[in-house]
Amino acid sequence: MSAMSVGAGEDTAVGTAPAAASRPVPHVCVAIVGTGFSGLGLAIGLKERGIDDFVVLERADDIGGTWRDNTYPGAACDVPSHLYSFSFAPNPDWSRAFSPQAEIRDYLRRCAVRFGLLSHLRFGHEVIDALWDEGERRWRIATTRGRFTADVFALGNGPLAEPSIPAIPGLGQFEGTVFHSARWDHGHDLTGERVAVIGTGASAIQFVPRIQPRVGRLTLFQRTPPWIMPRQDRAISRRERAAFRAAPIAQRVVRSALYWQREIGALGLVYKPAMMKGVERLARAHLEAQVANPALREKMTPRYRMGCKRILLSDDFYPALTWPNVEVVTDRIRAVRPRGVVTGDGVERAVDTIILATGFHVTDNPVARRVRGCDGRTLADAWRDGPRAYLGAAIAGFPNLFMLIGPNTGLGHTSMVFMIESQVAYIVDCLRVMDERGLGVVEVRPAVQEAFNEELQARMRNTVWSSGCSSWYLDANGRNSTLWPGFTWQYRLKTRRFDPASYELTPRGESPRAP
Ligand code: NAP
């Protein structure tokens, strides 16, 4: 890849960057954003291919992405540990079937060390603007701590990174404490307090059982009840861990078994939503076994097809709701007052702290407003009708830009790390092709991207996600621009090799766009 790296250039174009205008700007072959599984995964992929000329730009001061940011009590993965890790870096020491947050964060830290990434990481570097320079055929990237230019720019910032703060009237004037679950205020003691939790998604169901015994009163504001299945978490015994250490093949076998078991889940979600009725019966039995009170059961019973929103796993959420200090409120929130929350029926409940478990900006990620491709058009402009890409990785009008966990590569049934590894392989193979063919620019053909999305949306029509619920999978136009409608092995097959025929290819030294 050395030919793609052309050394330091002059800083000229990026408008909003704070750095001095004439200072030489470091140039790299690849600039990656984010140090979660995506960013680190791509960095490892580059290293493995012998590409050393790259930086990983991270706005925070530590690695870990979502596993660094989500530190709420009880945070853990809902995909089994043996599957939720890099295939090439198994961890025989997972302590539980479903790993707690700190273990996953520590695993990522260890990977960064083991694969020699530390010298590539740039902490405190939030990308504030990134512009494709057509003349120079490179990305000009401005961060809060300086500028870079890069031949290839890769976004690994993830769809679940920007907390969504609901537009509830009066929230800004609340005189108590307010925080989002992904920015947990560990300095704030909830003991004995009257706490309002807004939201009943994957985050809330994990921390509610942890805080319920501590708080004085917990009011849970639920808009839509989630479908919840038994979690069946368990400690992984010392003997099992020793066995995985001594015979790594054993862990690989377990991983494969988990992979195929989970993959079956795609059948009901993607191909035969009616199959979900059987699973709904199991979830209802779980609710009935854990909640005796008919009124609470009624409130907690979902009225949409299971899988339309993310299926949650928990053994302790329902029991937490049965305690006398908990109230589940299903009336809509009308407003927040300086000392309480008012619902549609006019009732105000006094609270000391409000915890927003209200999810993330998934289809309207603010980063999209900062990335500008050909003609200065932002990703947000290009995605006015909803995010779309080719293979969730490349976007027409944005040369030499790649995404990890881009549009339509999310999952409802198994490990995102599998998808990330597929994307990494695709991007690294693209760099190989660019190097071997002496290409300076690759840009997916608009017609290819359009055909890909048409086919994808046609498949989406019969999935459970289109069965009539509102979810974060859908964008503002009601289009599912988030999930992959298929088996993950199908995605792996599609991304196994870079497909040059789908791209406009410009040799190095040639003008990318003929006038
Ligand atoms: P989420 O699934 O988007 O849930 C947000 C919750 O807030 C929903 O119950 C939603 O209600 C509610 N809500 C949003 N705005 C509201 C408003 N204005 N008024 C009242 N309620 C409002 O967010 P999340 O729980 O943080 O999870 C997001 C995703 O992160 C998950 O789906 C999962 O992919 C991932 N995650 C994974 C894990 C894990 O592995 N264990 C843990 C946490 C998160 P509606 O349902 O009615 O919209």
Side-chain angles (χ1 to χ4, degrees), residues 259 263 271 389-394 402-411 413-427 452 456 459 482-497 503:
Y259 173 78
E263 203 61 350
Y271 299 101
Y390 173 59
L391 293 171
F402 290 99
M403 286 193 82
L404 293 126
I405 323 187
N408 293 106
T409 59
L411 300 172
H413 68 291
T414 187
S415 173
M416 278 313 298
V417 183
F418 186 89
M419 298 299 269
I420 290 167
E421 284 190 35
S422 304
Q423 288 156 3
V424 166
Y426 185 76
I427 297 168
F452 173 81
L456 188 138
R459 272 193 286 148
T482 311
L483 296 186
W484 171 248
F487 293 107
T488 60
W489 53 263
Q490 292 171 316
Y491 184 75
R492 169 102 6 140
L493 288 179
K494 282 184 188 292
T495 48
R496 212 154 47 103
R497 290 245 178 284
Y503 288 75

Side-chain angles (χ1 to χ4, degrees), residues 7 17 24 31-32 65 91 107 163 171 206 221 232 245 257 277 307 314 370 378 399 407 415 432 434 442 448 456 465:
I32 303 169
N91 173 22
Y107 166 79
L171 185 59
Q206 291 191 328
F221 291 93
Q232 296 174 320
R245 235 174 283 124
K277 282 188 204 161
S314 177
R370 302 179 185 184
T378 65
S415 173
R432 175 189 65 79
M434 288 176 81
V442 296
V448 169
L456 188 138
W465 309 307

Side-chain angles (χ1 to χ4, degrees), residues 57-290:
L57 306 171
E58 170 58 63
R59 65 180 171 181
D61 57 4
D62 193 4
I63 66 171
T66 192
W67 299 106
R68 173 201 59 229
D69 293 343
N70 285 273
T71 59
Y72 58 77
C77 190
D78 57 9
V79 175
S81 313
H82 294 307
L83 192 55
Y84 198 79
S85 45
F86 290 124
S87 60
F88 50 82
N91 173 22
D93 295 317
W94 294 123
S95 69
R96 305 198 63 82
F98 294 93
S99 320
Q101 166 263 336
E103 266 185 53
I104 304 173
R105 183 206 54 208
D106 292 348
Y107 166 79
L108 287 173
R109 284 179 179 159
R110 286 199 304 280
C111 285
V113 173
R114 174 176 159 194
F115 292 96
L117 307 183
L118 296 188
S119 62
H120 299 269
L121 307 182
R122 301 288 180 272
F123 293 115
H125 283 66
E126 176 165 2
V127 173
I128 47 181
D129 192 59
L131 172 69
W132 172 248
D133 182 334
E134 290 208 35
E136 296 287 324
R137 273 164 289 138
R138 59 176 56 180
W139 280 92
R140 294 191 170 276
I141 302 156
T143 78
T144 44
R145 297 265 285 265
R147 299 160 185 241
F148 297 84
T149 57
D151 297 317
V152 169
F153 189 36
L155 298 175
N157 45 289
L160 300 174
E162 302 294 336
S164 168
I165 308 297
I168 301 173
L171 185 59
Q173 282 75 52
F174 182 62
E175 289 175 2
T177 303
V178 187
F179 56 85
H180 189 277
S181 57
R183 301 286 182 272
W184 196 271
D185 183 352
H186 291 279
H188 182 78
D189 187 5
L190 296 171
T191 309
E193 281 202 333
R194 295 163 300 180
V195 176
V197 173
I198 302 180
T200 49
S203 301
I205 65 142
Q206 291 191 328
F207 71 75
V208 162
R210 298 301 178 99
I211 65 169
Q212 173 274 320
R214 233 187 321 143
V215 302
R217 177 139 204 88
L218 195 154
T219 310
L220 180 63
F221 291 93
Q222 173 179 270
R223 206 162 57 176
T224 317
W227 280 106
I228 301 181
M229 290 288 285
R231 181 169 173 80
Q232 296 174 320
D233 191 18
R234 67 175 184 88
I236 298 177
S237 70
R238 286 160 72 131
R239 193 184 287 181
E240 279 173 280
R241 287 186 249 167
F244 290 143
R245 235 174 283 124
I249 180 83
Q251 198 176 14
R252 280 208 292 278
V253 169
V254 172
R255 183 184 171 100
S256 290
L258 287 168
Y259 173 78
W260 289 109
Q261 188 192 60
R262 291 249 148 183
E263 203 61 350
I264 292 169
L267 275 179
L269 299 176
V270 179
Y271 299 101
K272 283 251 172 283
M275 279 173 67
M276 300 310 294
K277 282 188 204 161
V279 197
E280 283 175 11
R281 277 196 286 277
L282 297 177
R284 245 184 250 116
H286 184 48
L287 171 63
E288 282 161 22
Q290 295 199 313

